[in-house]
């Protein structure tokens, strides 16, 4: 198994066994009794013994993958067989735990560096910064705001910690930086990757289990994918791991995520996000009262479900609340959305809750095709979604698709 | 100047010069509706008569905006003012020629940043085997050409509209008709199902988009609760609900798109930039959910920001009217179907066309396109009565479906991707899926692996 080039998204999964082995070694190296000699030079710094060539080779890989980084010449990611100091990279930045470095993250890092060093970025970084500025221009305010926030938060740390953290972050980005020239960013690979990822979920391409209702006249497939089913299918639960949007778009996924957030005491984030969606897509006449509700519940000082937004966004939002309009909560909503996406979502996917659900999820049995081709199963009607309006006039209109009742399979004449 | 700066400069220059209406080339002169006026004011025809603000003579007036101030000039004064903007030696012709040359330069620069074509990268991808599609349901009941259809989020119901003014809601799975509405106009070219499943929207030659709440009371006349939402100055070509029942996006023959509040009928945002009829629109499936794409008779496909009304990207490589636009499921790209008998795929990040789906044997225009759930297949309905199924990555055709006896006007894949439905001028709708069982004697199908 070769590990020559740095990974792209899909390839990373294949390298996991290698990475876990490397990580086990790193952990044992740091063991205070059996591990490598550590010497304190102002802070925790280690010296790698230069005994054998094999050790050297493995050591090189450690440096290349960012588990150890050199302190004297940080940009030179090689292991020198001398006394130069290195440091272990914090597990937070290990390749197996970090999601593929996104453009947004890199943009925030560069923006931070730009602010701190007042424009003294190296050539390559300047190029990336400009390219990113052009490409994700619509989120640039957010990027700069995030950078400022992170800098402000770091100023409140001890100097020693701050230096270490800066080194760690710099080392991480040296290892994981996105490709240099945006002009060579291949659009084609993205499509191939997307199609491959979703192919098992595409009924026309690969069929679906238990069977396609249009072909076999059996609606089991729709029943098994309804909102309120007790045990979901494996494909459905796997799909939640494709992107945060997939998780949120599935009402069952959203419920599961909420349960997880409640355990983490950050459920107010998702509730806030949903409330903002309601404002954005709801009736215009109800906007002022909805915005007021949101303020009372989530934004007011001492609110019962206060959400943690940075001060600048909070200021801007509170200012906008004086003249509430449909988009007044957009900035705050986006802040919370990215917070959940970067932080809670990856942890949810590694959580016991998700893993248990995935283990419990079923793979449906294929429906036997009818032996006699002319004998067709009876096609059952389903309750119309318009039925919701008969029950509650207000409920039906404001909600989005989550209120659509899926069929129950009972024959009912309309 | 770096390449990116140069490109930006060219793009801005070419767009500001090229996308202007008719005889008024000056970009600071914009004809816009007044803030709370209905869309019917958005027209280049004179609509009032009175003293001109400039020359004082009583003449038919044009309402125009100069630096956000509304003024009324007679057409002669408007022309004079427009010509003042021209520098010495410049005429409208020279400006047009300059904009054309800028456009070609822009294309050349884009081509230099050219990546490996989609098909080449997809060479390593496994080819699709024999692809067999079969018609599963035929819905008969319209008395005239079916023009449009949309799926309900429950994955089995559909709404369809036809030339004779009828809008029907079906349970396509059982083929039962559930509701029927007769519109006061003919040629209902647009219809959409609300996300909640409780209402449908439709419109056409009446220049309006109306929302009908669906009632299960058999005796109730659906037209009684009809709500008129959108008002354009020309026919309605396409409509779509956004994430909820409360807002509708429409496109019209008057060259504009607009976002409306359903409850009050208020215009929330209008989108100007097409120089001819807009025929189709589609909302982006992105996580920040704020853009959509539109295609029109000016051969352009434009991407818009819903919040600001800005045209953020524009693509013009088709050789004829764009009839249909549809986003790739990831939201990174969109496909178009056009009267020039090709379908094309445009990438938003690379800002260019990345694939063309065409064959010499296909000479009739594509009226409607849609992707399968994974985005691997592109279904396109054509005016030669067929539906072609394309392999998006490799650019080859993997199947042709026959069966319709007239033009195919609309093609849509169901929300869970289990089937796709086509509507045609032969008055029927058909839903199709891949072959499962063996019985299938009625509809001919043919394989084409080329």
């Amino acid at each position: 198994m070769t590990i020559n080039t740095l990974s792209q998204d899909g390839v990373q999964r294949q390298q996991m066994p290698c990475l876990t082995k490397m990580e086990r070694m790193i952990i044992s190296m740091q063991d205070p009794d059996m591990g490598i000699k550590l010497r304190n030079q102002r802070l925790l710094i280690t010296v790698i013994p230069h005994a054998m060539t094999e050790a050297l080779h493995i050591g090189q890989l450690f440096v290349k993958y960012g588990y150890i980084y050199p302190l004297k010449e940080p940009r030179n990611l090689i292991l020198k067989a001398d006394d130069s100091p290195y440091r272990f990279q914090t597990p937070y930045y290990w390749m197996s735990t970090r999601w593929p470095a996104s453009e947004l993250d890199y943009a925030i890092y560069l923006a931070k560096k730009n602010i701190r060093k007042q424009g003294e970025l190296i050539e390559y970084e300047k190029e990336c910064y400009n390219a990113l500025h052009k490409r994700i221009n619509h989120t640039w305010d957010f990027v700069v705001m995030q950078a400022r926030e992170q800098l402000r938060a770091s100023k409140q740390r001890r100097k020693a910690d701050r230096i270490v953290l800066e080194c760690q972050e710099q080392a991480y980005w040296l290892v994981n930086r996105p490709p240099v020239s945006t002009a060579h960013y291949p659009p084609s690979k993205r499509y191939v990757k997307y199609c491959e990822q979703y192919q098992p979920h595409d009924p026309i391409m690969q069929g679906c289990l238990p069977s396609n209702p249009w072909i076999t006249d059996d609606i089991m497939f729709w029943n098994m994918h309804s909102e309120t089913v007790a045990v979901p299918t494996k494909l459905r639960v796997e799909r939640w791991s494709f992107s945060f949007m997939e998780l949120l778009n599935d009402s069952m996924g959203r419920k599961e995520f909420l349960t997880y957030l409640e355990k983490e005491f950050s459920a107010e984030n998702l509730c806030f996000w949903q409330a903002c969606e309601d404002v954005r897509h709801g009736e215009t006449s109800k906007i002022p009262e909805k915005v007021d509700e949101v303020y009372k519940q989530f934004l007011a000082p001492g609110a019962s479900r206060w959400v943690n937004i940075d001060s600048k966004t909070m200021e801007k939002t509170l200012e906008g609340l004086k003249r509430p309009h449909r988009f007044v909560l957009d900035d705050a909503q986006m802040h919370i959305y990215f917070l959940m996406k970067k932080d809670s979502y990856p942890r949810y996917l590694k959580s016991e809750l998700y893993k248990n659900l995935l283990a419990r999820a079923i793979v449906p049995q294929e429906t036997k095709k009818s032996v006699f081709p002319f004998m067709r199963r009876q096609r059952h009607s389903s309750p119309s979604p318009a039925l919701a309006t008969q029950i509650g006039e207000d409920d039906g209109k404001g909600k989005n698709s989550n209120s659509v009742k899926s069929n129950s399979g009972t024959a009912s004449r309309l | 100047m770096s390449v990116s700066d140069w490109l930006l400069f060219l793009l801005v220059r070419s767009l500001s010069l090229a996308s202007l209406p008719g005889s008024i080339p000056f970009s600071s002169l914009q004809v816009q509706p007044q803030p709370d006026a209905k869309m019917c004011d958005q027209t280049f025809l004179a609509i009032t008569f009175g003293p001109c603000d400039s020359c004082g003579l009583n003449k038919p007036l044009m309402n125009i905006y100069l630096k956000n101030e509304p003024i009324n000039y007679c057409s002669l004064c408007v022309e004079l003012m427009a010509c003042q903007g021209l520098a010495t030696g410049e005429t409208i012709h020279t400006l047009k020629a300059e904009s054309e040359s800028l456009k070609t330069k822009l294309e050349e620069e884009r081509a230099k940043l050219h990546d490996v074509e989609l098909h080449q990268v997809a060479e390593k991808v496994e080819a699709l085997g024999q692809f067999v599609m079969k018609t599963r349901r035929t819905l008969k009941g319209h008395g005239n050409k079916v023009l449009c259809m949309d799926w309900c989020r429950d994955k089995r119901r559909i709404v369809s509209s036809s030339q004779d003014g009828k809008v029907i809601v079906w349970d396509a799975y059982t083929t039962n008709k559930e509701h029927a509405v007769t519109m006061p106009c003919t040629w209902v070219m647009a219809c959409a199902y609300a996300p909640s499943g409780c209402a449908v929207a439709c419109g056409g030659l009446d220049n309006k988009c109306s929302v009908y709440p669906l009632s299960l009371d058999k005796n109730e006349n659906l037209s009684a609760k009809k709500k008129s939402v959108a008002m354009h100055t020309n026919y309605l070509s396409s409509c779509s609900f956004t994430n909820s029942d409360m807002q509708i996006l429409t496109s019209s023959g008057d060259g504009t798109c607009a976002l409306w509040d359903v409850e009050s009928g208020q215009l929330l945002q209008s989108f100007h930039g097409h120089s001819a009829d807009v025929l189709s629109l589609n909302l982006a499936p992105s996580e920040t959910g704020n853009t959509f794409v539109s295609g029109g008779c000016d051969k352009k496909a434009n991407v818009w920001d819903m919040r600001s009304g800005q045209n953020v990207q524009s693509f013009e490589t088709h050789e004829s009217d764009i009839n249909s636009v549809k986003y790739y499921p990831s939201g990174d790209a969109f496909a178009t179907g056009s009267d020039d008998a090709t379908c094309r795929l445009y990438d938003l990040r690379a800002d260019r066309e990345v694939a063309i789906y065409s064959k010499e044997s296909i000479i009739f225009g594509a009226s409607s396109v849609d992707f399968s759930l994974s985005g691997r297949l592109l279904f396109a309905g054509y005016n030669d009565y067929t539906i072609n199924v394309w392999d998006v990555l490799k650019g080859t055709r993997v199947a042709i479906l026959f069966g319709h006896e007239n033009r195919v006007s609309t093609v849509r894949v169901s929300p869970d991707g289990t089937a796709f439905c086509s509507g045609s001028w032969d008055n029927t709708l058909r839903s199709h899926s891949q072959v499962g069982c063996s019985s299938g004697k009625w509809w001919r199908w043919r394989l084409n692996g080329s």
Side-chain angles (χ1 to χ4, degrees):
Chain A
M1 167 160 42
T2 53
I3 334 172
N4 18 29
T5 50
L6 290 176
S7 55
Q8 292 284 316
D9 308 344
V11 185
Q12 193 166 24
R13 287 204 198 114
Q14 292 166 11
Q15 297 178 332
M16 278 305 285
C18 281
L19 295 177
T20 39
K21 279 187 201 156
M22 288 197 344
E23 283 167 11
R24 262 185 276 147
M25 280 194 67
I26 288 280
I27 292 173
S28 60
M29 276 165 81
Q30 292 186 35
D31 185 295
D33 299 321
M34 303 273 291
I36 298 175
K37 259 192 307 185
L38 300 176
R39 228 191 299 164
N40 256 345
Q41 277 183 4
R42 286 183 294 150
L43 297 160
L44 200 68
I45 298 169
T46 74
V47 171
I48 313 295
H50 49 278
M52 293 169 282
T53 34
E54 196 186 295
L56 194 65
H57 173 69
I58 294 179
Q60 290 275 22
L61 287 176
F62 282 148
V63 175
K64 196 162 182 214
Y65 278 86
Y67 288 102
I68 302 174
Y69 55 93
L71 291 176
K72 287 243 173 80
E73 282 173 50
R75 295 186 193 286
N76 210 354
L77 287 178
I78 56 165
L79 186 69
K80 289 202 193 135
D82 57 19
D83 271 346
S84 51
Y86 294 83
R87 193 180 295 145
F88 284 108
Q89 178 64 290
T90 169
Y92 180 70
Y93 281 127
W94 283 1
M95 282 198 75
S96 59
T97 56
R98 292 291 289 179
W99 290 90
S102 79
E103 285 181 352
L104 202 57
D105 292 327
Y106 195 48
I108 294 174
Y109 167 68
L110 287 177
K112 267 201 301 193
K113 220 171 168 187
N114 206 15
I115 296 172
R116 232 175 43 219
K117 296 199 172 168
Q118 275 139 10
E120 262 180 43
L121 295 174
I122 59 169
E123 198 52 50
Y124 162 75
E125 284 175 346
K126 272 207 186 104
E127 251 179 70
C128 281
Y129 187 74
N130 289 331
L132 282 168
H133 182 88
K134 183 166 169 240
R135 194 150 74 206
I136 53 173
N137 194 281
H138 50 283
T139 62
W140 205 252
D141 284 339
F142 176 75
V143 167
V144 173
M145 181 269 291
Q146 282 286 295
R148 289 215 183 98
E149 273 308 299
Q150 289 185 20
L151 279 175
R152 195 186 51 79
S154 73
K155 281 206 175 73
Q156 293 171 355
R157 297 201 179 95
R158 284 171 47 218
K159 184 170 183 191
D161 291 340
R162 204 187 333 146
I163 293 180
V164 173
L165 285 167
E166 273 169 20
C167 288
Q168 287 173 343
E169 201 184 3
Q170 180 186 52
Y172 171 71
W173 284 112
L174 284 169
V175 174
N176 287 294
R177 63 188 179 207
V180 180
S181 174
T182 55
H184 297 306
Y185 194 78
S188 344
K189 284 208 182 126
R190 278 187 271 121
Y191 300 123
V192 174
K193 180 176 166 247
Y194 188 93
C195 287
E196 277 173 0
Q197 190 180 44
Y198 279 84
Q199 183 157 323
H201 300 259
D202 188 340
I204 293 181
M205 288 285 297
Q206 213 163 288
C208 55
L209 295 172
S211 67
N212 189 325
W214 298 95
I215 301 175
T216 57
D217 293 337
D218 172 34
I219 54 174
M220 194 54 103
F221 178 75
W222 287 331
N223 288 346
M224 291 182 120
H225 285 82
S226 71
E227 288 170 30
T228 49
V229 76
V231 185
T233 59
K234 254 205 172 40
L235 276 182
R236 184 178 181 179
V237 180
E238 270 172 17
R239 200 165 160 177
W240 300 344
S241 67
F242 291 172
S243 72
F244 190 37
M245 200 166 70
E246 285 286 351
L247 178 67
L248 290 183
N249 279 344
D250 185 342
S251 54
M252 190 186 207
R254 225 190 278 200
K255 254 192 282 172
E256 288 290 314
F257 189 53
L258 187 66
T259 314
Y260 174 75
L261 288 179
E262 275 163 6
K263 293 207 177 121
E264 300 245 310
F265 303 106
S266 52
E268 66 273 1
N269 287 340
L270 187 59
C271 298
F272 175 69
W273 179 83
Q274 274 182 259
C276 291
E277 283 287 285
D278 196 29
V279 169
R280 212 148 59 109
H281 297 293
E283 293 107 314
T284 309
S285 59
K286 294 207 176 135
I287 287 180
E289 74 180 68
K290 281 185 184 170
V291 168
D292 195 45
E293 260 307 304
V294 167
Y295 173 72
K296 286 205 197 100
Q297 267 195 43
F298 299 100
L299 298 172
S304 57
R305 305 171 100 185
W306 192 77
V307 282
N308 194 357
I309 307 177
D310 67 288
S311 53
K312 188 167 174 230
T313 310
M314 181 66 96
E315 239 181 79
K316 199 171 162 203
T317 308
L318 292 178
E319 188 58 41
L321 287 183
K322 295 180 185 162
R323 261 167 277 114
H325 58 92
R326 189 173 293 278
F327 304 111
V328 71
L329 295 168
D330 267 15
D331 288 335
Q333 183 185 16
M334 195 153 84
H335 182 100
I336 294 292
Y337 179 85
F338 277 106
L339 193 66
M340 289 194 287
K341 180 179 171 184
K342 297 269 114 152
D343 186 40
S344 315
Y345 173 62
R347 281 189 289 115
Y348 167 66
L349 293 179
K350 297 198 182 88
S351 71
E352 286 307 312
L353 192 67
Y354 179 73
K355 290 188 179 151
N356 285 342
L357 188 62
L358 193 57
R360 276 192 300 131
I362 50 178
V363 179
Q365 283 250 333
E366 189 176 355
T367 308
K368 291 267 190 291
K369 294 177 191 160
S370 54
V371 178
F372 301 99
F374 299 102
M375 227 173 79
R376 210 182 57 187
R377 288 193 181 89
Q378 192 188 9
R379 293 171 186 164
H380 295 295
S381 300
S382 71
S384 166
L387 203 57
T389 51
Q390 306 288 319
I391 302 166
E393 276 292 329
D394 286 12
D395 284 0
K397 285 202 184 141
K399 287 198 182 123
N400 54 20
S401 71
N402 291 332
S403 71
V404 170
K405 299 283 178 291
S406 181
N407 53 70
S408 59
T410 52
S412 58
R413 277 201 321 154
L414 287 166
Chain B
M1 250 203 264
S2 74
V3 171
S4 51
D5 289 355
W6 169 240
L7 267 182
L8 210 53
F9 165 75
L10 284 180
L11 186 64
V12 166
R13 188 116 200 263
S14 79
L15 281 182
S16 66
L17 284 175
S19 66
L20 298 170
S23 61
I24 306 178
F26 202 55
S27 58
S28 70
L29 196 61
Q30 283 173 328
V31 186
Q32 274 186 349
Q34 311 204 350
D36 47 14
K38 298 246 176 80
M39 289 295 289
C40 50
D41 291 334
Q42 197 278 313
T43 168
F44 301 146
L45 300 172
I47 56 165
T48 58
F49 190 91
C52 167
D53 282 350
S54 162
C55 61
L57 301 169
N58 270 351
K59 281 185 164 185
L61 297 175
M62 294 178 70
N63 299 339
I64 54 174
Y65 276 80
L66 266 189
K67 294 185 181 136
N68 293 321
E69 288 295 321
I71 54 171
N72 292 322
Y73 272 15
C74 66
S75 51
L76 181 63
C77 292
V78 167
E79 283 284 316
L80 286 172
M81 186 170 53
C83 291
Q84 281 167 16
L86 296 168
T88 45
E90 275 187 342
T91 62
I92 294 177
H93 294 296
T94 58
L95 281 179
K96 268 203 176 149
E98 195 186 340
S99 99
E100 287 301 317
S101 80
L102 280 174
K103 266 198 221 173
T104 21
K105 277 209 190 118
L106 185 60
E107 280 310 315
E108 280 169 31
E109 289 298 320
R110 268 179 176 170
K112 282 188 195 153
L113 298 178
H114 189 97
D115 299 322
V116 180
E117 275 298 356
L118 180 57
H119 313 318
Q120 287 166 274
V121 172
E123 256 168 26
K124 303 190 188 131
V125 177
E126 214 180 290
L128 293 175
Q130 301 228 306
F131 229 88
V132 187
M133 304 291 296
K134 188 169 167 291
T135 303
R136 299 290 168 185
R137 306 284 192 275
T138 306
L139 305 175
K140 294 190 184 169
H142 276 292
N144 213 318
K145 309 179 172 72
V146 174
L147 301 175
C148 186
M149 61 115 348
D150 190 20
W151 287 89
C152 175
R153 286 196 188 182
D154 76 350
K155 308 150 197 173
R156 46 190 287 173
R157 284 175 171 78
I158 61 172
V159 61
S160 60
S161 63
S162 74
Q163 184 200 342
D164 61 0
K166 287 255 182 355
V167 174
I168 302 180
V169 175
W170 318 68
D171 178 351
Y173 179 72
T174 56
T175 72
N176 291 338
K177 296 185 206 34
E178 294 190 348
H179 308 269
V181 175
T182 306
M183 295 274 289
C185 67
T186 56
W187 285 91
V188 186
M189 287 169 264
C191 63
Y193 223 120
S196 68
C198 301
V200 293
C202 45
L205 282 187
D206 56 351
N207 300 1
K208 293 192 231 167
C209 185
S210 315
V211 175
Y212 292 83
L214 296 176
S215 159
L216 290 178
D217 183 352
K218 280 290 166 191
N219 296 328
E220 180 144 22
N221 183 5
L222 285 182
S223 307
K225 288 214 174 127
K226 157 181 157 178
K227 195 182 265 193
S228 225
V229 174
M231 290 251 282
H232 281 277
T233 51
N234 211 326
Y235 66 89
L236 192 84
S237 53
S238 176
C239 65
S240 170
F241 284 89
T242 62
N243 265 345
S244 78
D245 288 14
M246 295 294 113
Q247 284 149 44
I248 291 193
L249 198 54
T250 58
S251 67
S252 163
D254 65 11
T256 68
C257 302
L259 182 66
W260 307 83
D261 177 61
V262 172
E263 193 191 25
S264 60
Q266 196 194 5
L267 171 68
L268 297 174
Q269 184 63 260
S270 66
F271 306 91
H272 301 257
H274 280 286
S275 47
D277 304 17
V278 184
L279 295 180
S280 171
L281 60 82
N282 187 233
L283 279 150
S286 91
E287 54 191 355
T288 43
N290 271 328
T291 59
F292 72 94
V293 63
S294 67
C297 292
D298 55 356
K299 312 174 201 169
K300 282 204 235 159
N302 290 335
V303 180
W304 308 87
D305 175 58
M306 281 215 289
R307 202 178 141 169
S308 63
Q310 296 272 2
N311 177 1
V312 295
Q313 274 176 288
S314 185
F315 303 87
E316 194 177 346
T317 61
H318 269 291
E319 290 156 24
S320 186
D321 304 0
I322 297 180
N323 295 317
S324 172
V325 289
K326 198 86 209 309
Y327 270 95
Y328 185 78
S330 70
D332 289 339
F334 64 90
T336 55
S338 159
D339 275 346
D340 65 5
T342 67
C343 299
R344 292 173 203 233
L345 187 69
Y346 295 92
D347 185 285
L348 293 172
R349 280 205 246 177
D351 193 34
R352 62 184 189 91
E353 173 191 299
V354 292
I356 306 185
Y357 306 99
S358 67
K359 273 176 103 65
E360 271 187 37
S361 52
I362 301 177
I363 52 173
F364 284 84
S367 59
S368 181
V369 295
D370 202 357
F371 285 99
S372 73
L373 190 141
S374 62
R376 184 68 194 268
L377 299 174
L378 181 70
F379 300 100
Y382 288 78
N383 293 338
D384 62 1
Y385 314 175
T386 64
I387 299 171
N388 288 308
V389 185
W390 299 91
D391 179 338
V392 170
L393 299 182
K394 291 196 178 278
T396 54
R397 181 174 59 182
V398 294
I400 316 178
L401 275 114
F402 297 93
H404 277 297
E405 289 153 21
N406 206 323
R407 281 197 199 192
V408 178
S409 53
T410 173
V411 169
R412 297 265 191 131
V413 175
S414 76
D416 62 355
T418 47
F420 72 96
C421 184
S422 57
S424 158
W425 282 18
D426 68 1
N427 308 359
T428 67
L429 293 125
R430 286 157 214 242
S431 70
H432 322 264
S433 196
Q434 89 277 30
V435 159
C437 308
S438 53
S439 64
K441 35 182 186 157
W442 293 348
W443 310 113
R444 279 181 297 141
W445 40 261
R446 189 149 51 119
L447 295 172
N448 193 325
S450 58

